[in-house]
Amino acid sequence: MTTATFRLQYSDAIGFVADQGGRGFHLPMSMVIRGDGRIFVVSRSNTQALDIVGIQMVTRGHEFFGQIGGYGQEPGKMIWPTALALDRADNLYLADDYLQRVTIYDRDGAVQSTWGTKGSAAGEFDGPSGLLFDADDNLLMVDHRNHRIQKFTRDGQSLGTWGAYGDGDGQFNLPWGIAQDRQGFLYVADWRNDRIQKFTPDGEFVAKFGASGDGDGQFNRPSGLAVGADGNLYVADWGNQRVQVLDAAGNFLLQLRGEAKLSPWAQEYIAANADESAARATYVPVFDVDTADANEVSARIEPYFWDPVDVVLDDDERVYVLETSRHRFQVYDKV
Amino acid sequence: MPTVHSKQDVALMAHLLRRAGFGATLQELDRCLEQGYEATVEALLSPSAPDAVPEDLIRRYHVDQSDLRNHAAGAAYWIYRMVQTPAPLREKMSLFWHRVFATAATKLIQARMVANQLDMFRDHGMGSFQDLLLRLSRDPAMMMWLDNQDNHKGSINENYGREILELFSMGVGNYTEDDIKECARAFTGWRVVNPDYMSIRMRNNTARPYGYIAWQFEYDDTDHDHDEKTFLGQVGDLNGEDVVAIICRQEATPRFIARHLYHFFVADEVPVPQWPHTAPRDPQAIDLMCQAYFDSNYDISAMLRAMFNADFFKSEAARFARVKSPVEMVVGTLRMAGGLELPSTDTYAAVGVCAAMGQFPMNPPSVEGWQGGSEWINTGAYVQRVNFASRVLSDPGKPGIQAIIGRIRDLANGRGLSAEELVDACLHIVGPLEVPDSTRDGLIEYARSWGDVDFADAASTAQAERTIVALLQLVVTTQEYQMV
Amino acid sequence: MMGDEKNRKVVVVQLSGGNDYLNCVVPYNNPRYIDNRPNVRLSEDQIIPFDNGYGLNPSMQPVKDLYDEGKVAVIHGVGYPQPNRSHFRSMDIWHTAEPTKVGDKGWLGQAIREMTPDGDNVVIAVNFAAALPRALVTLGAPVASVTDLNSYGLLNHIDAAPQRSQALDAFRDMYSRALGNGPVMDYLSKTGLDALRGADILSAVPQKYASTVEYGSNPFAKSAKSAAQVLLADVGTRICYTQHGSFDTHTNEVALQARLWDDVAGGIRDLYTDLKTHDASDDVLIFVFSEFGRRVKDNGNGTDHGSGGVAFLIGDRVKGGHYSEYPSLDDDKLVEGDLAFNLDFRSVYSEILEDWMAVEAKPIVNGTYEKLGCLNLN
């Protein structure tokens, strides 16, 4: 048992359910932070609120800059967005599971190009999930229904793949997120195998962490992940509705369950609704729950993470946890 | 050498599987015929396997089925479960209770509470009725649907007190208005956690600020009326549990539930509001199920067992005597075609078609549920019905269609099949459907227009597959296929 | 020259979700409006000036143009007793004309039964959506539901023409010959044949249509165009049912409502113009309604469910102007924060049913309601 030498202290929540458009997110799937502090969050939304499908732009200071893209098949639009990544020139890359393509937006949000072909041959993919620009500015894609990682040039030329279906070392079962540490090692959330796998930059298996379960260091369908400067691994333990932090050797350090308070957008809404505001005065957000089902617990307890899908670190090692079903991200400071 | 089953056995088994489930694939039918009728009834009543629902995949691919706020997403999730379930009666009983204890997502704002209620029906819908009624009375969706959070000591809201008697257990005519008030008093203090805030969110139809918050049952003793009550002749400091126990002892309760079961599984009854004034179609059937209820200490599966094994259910007159509900039609056809994979847009399309035909799952039109019967049939709905069924069967690659083609190929056994043989085979596999000669003639003529069916070589096999698919598509447009 | 009453048609435009009356016909200078709408308000420089100190939503210019031609009746404060804030229940009340109990017959469905008692006219009512609104549902009342007129029909997914026509022939054959096999089977057979006949009639409609009017590309414009096509084809259709939404503007209201009214107002104008240029507008009445208005006080970014709304009747035979009164916004006149309705919607129905469609209203709306007299039938 390793003890963490730091704490993660809740600092803020940014978001609002924007199921009718406007400021906020709706069923967000992925986020990235640009060097200048602009944060991009892609909302998947549902079949009856298609207007909000798109990439919303915000800052940590609760500014909202509208959205890029929208629902549809035309270039620049999206149907089932899954992942975002920024290249070195700050171009924004979006993966779409339905359209089976990658869309590239420039710094100003204009569409540059799209590429992608569904299939299992080299250069083709089926269900792009995680996206990451590696140290060489090549795009690594979690090609999840092909159970492999595929490396692309920025314009979509395949530079190779690794992995296959299975639960052996270097094999995957519907993997999701991907991250790289300072030494260049890659980490993949091997989603349906309930583990994290570590690889060399060329895809050689190095190590695996975790097993199925809800104990310390165990996972239930890990999705997004990030690596700190110290090599600590931050994992969105999606099915367990928590974030776990492991050290570079895979030892459990600590976990977060979520403790969101009302963000300024939420406060404004509540303040403007006298009846809801009055009723909220007697509202007890955290109470004893009569079920052990983590998903149902999250459905009942508003401050907790609900479907924490992605975890991102900024340059100051603040931790951002994006929650699909609560339409927000929570921010934690390392202290 | 597989056992050859008589035509009568096959027809009866198919009838059971249509009514107690959503129709059977060829393999399911064979398996059930092997184990026999009564054993199949037992297996349906006590499914050994839990549903193997890939919740993780569903929630990853259909994120709107993870928060389950959206009605269409909630209904798509249910359609998926109905199509995929290995325990069709459990799912059919959930649909049954959903019709009797009709709770609509529209008022609740989110489908999730209805989905949770359906989970409760899955787990307890074939057990003790007393247990079920008590769970229903504590079910957060029901509580909010019928305003029990507004039912306070000294200021009752009668909604649940009335409906539990009128619609959920005994039916009109078996209690007084005073009983309703006393019943409501017994349920004071039964509410959800954070009742004020949860109520106002529901009333304001809002998921703001951070999405939906699921409800949890809570009993507040300080808001419960502990004074003496008189309910159906029983006197005391009655609480909700006592009221449910008293209700379940009444003769009227199993009579009412039995009539609902008959209405749903055997033959269409007159609309529920007319029940107090009109005798049941088959009073002996009701008596039989009542007896089973009391003999088994209120066990719902005992009533079902008595029904499925009774002649009134098994008789030929009972077969194809009910109009398929949109959900039965859609789910049955998707099961026949097979091959529903995730992610699936088919389940969403299925919800749209059900809604277009007048049955939006999780969204019954009122607390009285769907009436059904010929109300399912109008010209607009008919176009939807016919087009949906024949479209689902248009893909010869679907495993269910492949199985049907395989069965016909076995039947051909190396020779060619006449149009008559082909039509009879298709009717047999899809039903077995008994159609009038005029319909059979029409199908034969159509089959003939597609040419002979044989499997001599690749080209003729491909042609045979096209012919079979075309014929199946027409078979499901027949009037007989609209019946169950 | 107006056709006789057996030729008069209604196009229903349902604004689903609850159209905000206050930001549709805007009391922009009323201090109570200004107080109650700190965030979700249209100011004097935004609205389209209208009569009596009211303004129209900036997206409603096409309606204003028709109004200026004297073709629009603005019906104020329309609602029903004991308002219900549930979309579904409130819409149901409008659909069945039954505010107090759960009705199972649609008001137009009953009118259809009166107009074609034996159901012979299978295209008497055409609904432009997949789901059938309860307003059109009554046992035995034929209704066609069309999502896309160009591909409408039975077995429309069979691409190859000869195969589809063979399948349809077989269907027709089976269904006609199966009559006489008991009441349920006969009902199915008749419905199937009616559906087929309706599909035959309606699928021929687009070929008959030629127009210079260019409709928008939004779903409502598509419905409006389809309605024009069906009405101009003169196939016996007397009710067209369209809807648009969602007007359920709890957030982002000003932008959402503006966009929706762009669609609706534009669609209505194009429909009217289309009919007019084909000399067919004289016997068409357009009826616009929503299941309720919205809360007087805004919620910061939108408004919540309320009661008391506005309806419109539009057409050549409409006596343009204002009917009934705008309900007071004074606090003591509001009912639980909502506008108090001052006109029962069944008055409007009675006028449409009796004066326009020549169908007795009383059995349908279950009572006698004073009509507004906003139709010019001479």
Side-chain angles (χ1 to χ4, degrees), chain B residues 292-329:
Chain B
Y293 172 89
F294 284 116
D295 287 351
S296 66
N297 197 21
Y298 317 153
D299 185 24
I300 299 153
S301 62
M303 299 174 85
L304 291 168
R305 182 180 292 110
M307 178 177 68
F308 291 134
N309 287 321
D311 288 342
F312 67 79
F313 177 81
K314 291 157 80 171
S315 77
E316 287 191 28
R319 296 178 201 165
F320 298 106
R322 296 180 52 245
V323 177
K324 269 181 191 157
S325 69
V327 168
E328 284 177 306
M329 208 286 293

Side-chain angles (χ1 to χ4, degrees), chain B residues 230-291:
Chain B
T230 304
F231 177 68
L232 295 171
Q234 307 281 310
V235 183
D237 168 14
L238 303 175
N239 210 321
E241 293 88 346
D242 306 308
V243 161
V244 166
I246 294 166
I247 288 171
C248 290
R249 287 204 290 274
Q250 310 299 313
E251 173 89 14
T253 295
R255 292 208 161 274
F256 187 76
I257 298 303
R259 197 164 181 182
H260 262 299
L261 287 169
Y262 186 93
H263 185 41
F264 188 79
F265 285 104
V266 184
D268 287 331
E269 274 279 4
V270 294
V272 180
Q274 294 171 33
W275 288 6
H277 319 295
T278 315
R281 280 176 70 134
D282 185 348
Q284 287 173 333
I286 306 300
D287 289 346
L288 184 77
M289 286 190 265
C290 274
Q291 192 61 46

